[in-house]
DNA sequence: GACTGCGGGTAAA
DNA sequence: TTTACCCGCAGTC
């Protein structure tokens, strides 16, 4: 069954640079679907893959999109157990920055924004290592993400036979980490190759990002086209009982107003491109659930894909762990994705003639480290091997120095931690935190589980452990000329606020 | 070794 | 009950 939407519908799609699609720009975007919906709309055109999705946004990718199949993202997203095999949830790990913060400036004026390792073990190793900026004696620390109501931004991925649905919740309150391709390139180049674009690397930028940013500028894309500050809420206000200037942010159900938007918000060139939903598909007669009562969803509401999550809308949800499965003919699993080739970044990375060694001393404090480690060697840009050796050698030095600092009651802290000593702080928790830094690099996040919320009613319908991905034919792709679907679902955010207490898990770790 | 996805489990609200 | 997080496993690269 194919349901055409009015071509002139207010729901017409916008055409941001990321997830680009043809169509007029429309300031008001609305989301016609939610990742948790019982059914999601079929679309006739897909979004271009958006590597730096930010803010509350949604995309529908082709099932053939390698990036989408890999659930890749420029942000460092780690898997989260939401106890729902049909919807993959990932949460942001933030960015690896220098503990000296603003004081640490690379020769090219950029700052160190490394990509946190997804693996906990690897991430632990990263933290506390000396800042790769030769002019700096800071250490690498994680700047956690608080972009989703104080919690890390979350990404949700859902696969159907016909498309891959993506939904992001939250706006990153930290700089972009280096792109994955950059990080991978660096790892693969650790053995000996001379690194020319080190500043670029350390700043966490690659050609793709730069390219996108440039594209963004060229297109003069500004909110609301990129990321509306106040896009329509996913759930009609009337349904949730909020005014349209508020949001619901569980578990606090905060009432945010536009003025409460965090001042610090990073807007990569991301885009709220929505695919054109030409019709709503009906995969079968099962689970005909009432579709969302979106004003914009003026279509046959009986033709939806059943949702693996089932149930109704939830906004700013943090996922439950109900075991919800198959309720839907196209479970989440799919064949292993093919390798994604991202080589242009690599090429460009090593073209910049910016040695890591700078001339100045932007970062003043000295560290009890072997002087040679920091001694300027103006004519010999370091290789990554050197860099890693330095890191490695220095890690022990750092460790002992940290212990010394602790003894001296002058622990170094992560200025990005919510419990970073500010003013007169220094309570029990903070002391514990400091201890944690010394004994064991802080494990920032692990798999958090959450799920794209799964209403329990529908949850029980799904059998457990059926992981079959049905190859997605593209046959519907050209069936209908577009009407549009788009959106701009957005939930007002609290953003990164100091009033949020630091993660309980950290505290748990501290007690060990 | 690192990334990725899965999933059993805990704790707190 | 919901949600965030812990932790281990297995497959892959
Ligand atoms: Zn630094
Ligand atoms: Zn983030």
């Amino acid at each position: 069954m194919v349901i055409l939407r009015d071509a002139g519908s207010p729901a017409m799609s916008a055409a941001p640079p990321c997830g680009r699609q043809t169509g007029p720009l429309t300031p008001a975007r609305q989301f016609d679907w939610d990742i948790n919906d019982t059914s999601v709309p079929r679309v006739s055109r897909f979004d271009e893959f958006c590597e730096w999705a930010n803010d509350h946004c949604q995309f529908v990718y082709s099932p053939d999109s390698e990036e989408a199949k890999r659930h890749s993202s420029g942000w460092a997203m780690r898997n989260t157990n939401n106890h729902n095999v049909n919807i993959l949830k990932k949460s942001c790990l933030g960015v690896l920055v220098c503990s000296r913060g603003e004081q640490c400036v690379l020769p090219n004026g950029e700052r160190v924004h490394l990509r946190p390792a997804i693996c906990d073990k690897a991430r632990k190793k990263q933290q506390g290592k000396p800042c790769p900026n030769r002019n700096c004696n800071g250490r690498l620390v994680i700047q956690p993400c608080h972009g989703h109501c104080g919690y890390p931004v979350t990404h949700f991925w859902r696969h159907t036979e016909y498309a891959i649905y993506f939904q992001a919740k939250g706006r990153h309150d930290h700089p972009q980490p280096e792109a994955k391709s950059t990080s991978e390139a660096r790892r693969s180049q650790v053995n000996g190759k001379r690194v020319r674009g080190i500043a670029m690397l350390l700043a966490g930028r690659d050609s793709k990002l730069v390219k996108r940013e440039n594209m963004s500028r060229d297109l003069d894309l500004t909110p609301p086209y990129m990321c509306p500050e106040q896009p329509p809420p996913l759930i009609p206000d009337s349904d949730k009982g909020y005014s349209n200037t508020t949001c619901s942010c569980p578990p606090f159900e905060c009432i945010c107003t536009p003025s409460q938007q965090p001042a610090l918000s990073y807007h990569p060139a991301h885009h709220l491109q929505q695919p054109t939903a030409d019709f709503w598909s009906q995969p079968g007669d099962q689970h005909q659930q009432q579709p969302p009562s979106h004003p914009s969803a003026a279509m046959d509401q009986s033709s939806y894909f059943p949702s693996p999550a089932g149930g109704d809308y939830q906004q700013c949800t943090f996922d439950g762990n109900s075991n919800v499965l198959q309720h839907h003919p196209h479970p989440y699993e799919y064949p292993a994705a093919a390798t994604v080739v991202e080589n242009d970044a690599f090429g460009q990375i090593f073209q910049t003639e910016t040695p890591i060694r700078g001339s100045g001393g932007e970062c003043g404090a000295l560290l009890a480290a072997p002087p040679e480690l920091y001694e300027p060697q103006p004519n010999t840009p370091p290789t990554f091997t050197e860099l890693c050796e330095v890191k490695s050698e220095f890690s022990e030095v750092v460790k002992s120095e940290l212990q010394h600092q602790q003894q001296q009651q002058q622990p170094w802290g992560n200025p990005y931690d919510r419990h970073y000593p500010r003013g007169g702080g220094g309570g029990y928790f903070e002391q514990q935190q400091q201890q944690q830094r010394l004994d064991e690099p802080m494990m920032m996040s692990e798999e958090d589980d959450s799920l794209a919320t799964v209403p329990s009613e529908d949850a029980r319908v799904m059998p457990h452990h059926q992981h079959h991905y049905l190859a997605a034919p593209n046959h519907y792709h050209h069936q209908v000329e577009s009407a549009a679907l788009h959106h701009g679902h957005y939930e007002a955010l609290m953003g990164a606020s100091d009033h949020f207490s630091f993660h309980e898990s950290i505290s748990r770790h501290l007690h060990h």
Side-chain angles (χ1 to χ4, degrees):
Chain A
M1 184 173 189
V2 174
I3 304 298
L4 287 174
R5 300 191 60 184
D6 288 344
S9 160
M12 276 305 272
S13 188
C18 205
R20 180 187 301 274
Q21 235 187 7
T22 58
L25 287 176
T26 308
R29 292 175 62 92
Q30 286 185 310
F31 297 132
D32 291 274
W33 55 271
D34 182 86
I35 203 76
N36 297 309
D37 285 350
T38 302
S39 310
V40 289
R42 276 178 65 173
V43 300
S44 63
R45 284 184 295 173
F46 299 112
D47 291 308
E48 264 183 29
F49 185 76
C50 180
E51 187 178 16
W52 295 100
N54 200 354
D55 243 326
H56 289 64
C57 58
Q58 298 172 257
F59 301 108
V60 179
Y61 300 124
S62 162
D64 298 323
S65 166
E66 294 302 324
E67 288 134 317
K69 284 196 284 188
R70 293 180 59 203
H71 311 135
S72 64
S73 172
W75 304 100
M77 307 297 294
R78 69 117 183 258
N79 186 37
T80 283
N81 181 12
N82 60 356
H83 297 268
N84 179 358
V85 297
N86 297 284
I87 297 176
L88 177 67
K89 179 183 177 180
K90 293 187 161 196
S91 55
C92 182
L93 288 168
V95 63
L96 200 58
V97 298
C98 176
S99 61
R100 290 205 156 271
E102 299 293 310
Q103 294 179 307
C104 178
V105 180
L106 293 167
N108 67 353
E110 304 230 26
R111 300 186 190 287
V112 175
H113 296 151
L114 297 178
R115 185 180 190 80
I118 302 302
C119 169
D120 299 331
K121 205 172 160 186
R123 198 165 59 253
K124 281 182 181 179
K125 288 186 197 169
Q126 291 178 319
Q127 297 174 75
K129 284 195 173 180
C131 173
N133 181 357
R134 293 235 174 187
N135 297 319
C136 173
N137 57 10
R139 297 166 195 78
L140 295 177
V141 295
I142 289 281
Q143 180 182 353
C145 180
H146 305 139
H148 187 206
C149 305
Y151 288 102
V153 168
T154 48
H155 286 178
F156 298 92
W157 294 90
R158 174 178 167 183
H159 292 246
T160 69
E161 183 178 1
Y162 310 99
I164 297 174
Y165 295 80
F166 168 83
Q167 182 170 2
K169 296 183 177 181
R171 180 192 297 177
H172 298 274
D173 60 341
H174 55 83
Q176 291 175 333
E178 61 182 341
K180 196 190 302 181
S181 52
T182 307
S183 181
E184 288 169 353
R186 180 156 43 83
R187 274 207 312 274
S188 65
Q189 292 302 307
V190 159
N191 293 319
K193 283 200 179 179
R194 215 159 269 282
V195 179
R196 295 178 173 183
I198 189 68
M200 194 75 134
L201 284 173
L202 296 178
R205 302 164 68 81
D206 71 358
S207 62
K208 281 191 172 181
L209 172 56
V210 171
K211 206 183 301 177
R212 284 205 176 83
E213 289 173 342
N214 291 339
M215 177 169 67
S216 173
R217 280 193 293 273
D218 293 344
L219 296 175
D220 189 24
L221 290 164
T222 54
Y225 301 107
M226 286 175 59
C227 223
E229 290 296 316
Q230 283 296 300
L234 173 62
I235 306 175
D237 297 325
S238 57
D239 294 353
K240 293 282 285 185
Y242 304 124
S243 75
N244 59 6
T245 56
T246 65
C247 82
S248 64
C249 300
F252 311 109
E253 293 294 328
C254 63
I255 303 302
C256 316
T257 63
S259 62
Q260 289 176 306
Q261 290 293 324
L264 181 60
S265 175
Y266 292 85
H267 278 268
H270 86 286
H271 333 53
L272 293 174
Q273 176 65 44
Q274 276 309 89
T276 301
D278 297 329
F279 55 91
W280 302 82
S281 69
Q282 183 172 355
D285 56 358
Q286 54 178 314
H287 266 272
Q288 286 309 316
Q289 197 161 331
Q290 271 301 22
S293 55
H294 272 249
S296 61
M299 53 200 65
D300 182 353
Q301 301 189 333
S302 68
S303 39
Y304 271 75
F305 278 122
S307 160
D312 47 35
Y313 279 105
Q314 288 202 27
Q315 195 170 16
C316 210
T317 55
F318 289 92
D319 307 329
N321 293 336
S322 44
N323 281 321
V324 189
L325 307 181
Q326 304 331 52
H327 137 171
H328 160 343
H330 317 300
Y332 168 70
E333 288 212 344
Y334 51 89
T339 303
V340 168
V341 178
E342 292 183 289
N343 50 18
D344 61 329
F346 182 86
Q348 182 164 334
I349 286 163
F350 296 98
Q351 287 171 6
T352 312
E353 292 286 349
T354 310
I356 187 170
R357 294 185 182 90
S359 54
E362 294 98 328
C363 304
L366 293 177
L367 202 57
E372 60 271 20
L373 292 179
Y374 288 117
E375 211 153 26
Q377 300 173 32
N379 298 322
T380 53
T383 63
F384 267 122
T385 300
E386 293 169 354
L387 204 57
C388 292
E389 284 171 356
V390 167
K391 284 184 179 179
S392 177
E393 293 169 15
F394 200 20
S395 62
E396 289 307 311
V397 176
V398 169
K399 189 174 180 180
S400 58
E401 205 248 347
L402 293 180
Q403 288 168 349
H404 175 71
Q405 285 184 349
Q406 186 190 33
Q407 289 166 5
Q408 299 299 314
Q409 300 295 315
Q410 298 171 338
W412 58 279
N414 178 346
Y416 300 97
D417 280 353
R418 289 180 179 131
H419 289 262
Y420 180 76
R422 288 186 179 85
Y428 173 76
F429 184 90
E430 284 166 4
Q431 289 174 15
Q432 292 299 305
Q433 175 103 4
Q434 290 153 9
Q435 180 68 49
Q436 163 81 9
R437 291 191 188 101
L438 300 178
D439 299 334
E440 172 188 27
M442 179 153 44
M443 183 188 300
M444 286 314 303
S445 20
E446 206 49 55
E447 242 169 72
D448 35 328
D449 6 135
S450 12
L451 85 127
T453 310
V454 180
S456 41
E457 286 185 18
D458 292 292
R460 13 184 138 98
V461 184
M462 303 177 158
H464 208 99
H465 293 249
Q466 268 190 357
H467 303 166
H468 306 297
Y469 176 75
L470 306 183
N474 228 359
H475 66 263
Y476 68 100
H477 192 63
H478 299 294
Q479 288 183 2
V480 185
E481 197 43 48
S482 66
L485 215 202
H486 58 321
H487 21 8
H489 152 40
Y490 182 88
E491 301 157 1
L493 295 174
M494 285 295 286
S497 307
D498 286 337
H499 67 270
F500 283 104
S501 62
F502 201 60
H503 229 286
E504 297 154 300
S505 63
I506 299 305
S507 135
R508 237 178 290 163
H509 273 279
L510 302 182
H511 291 310
H512 289 173

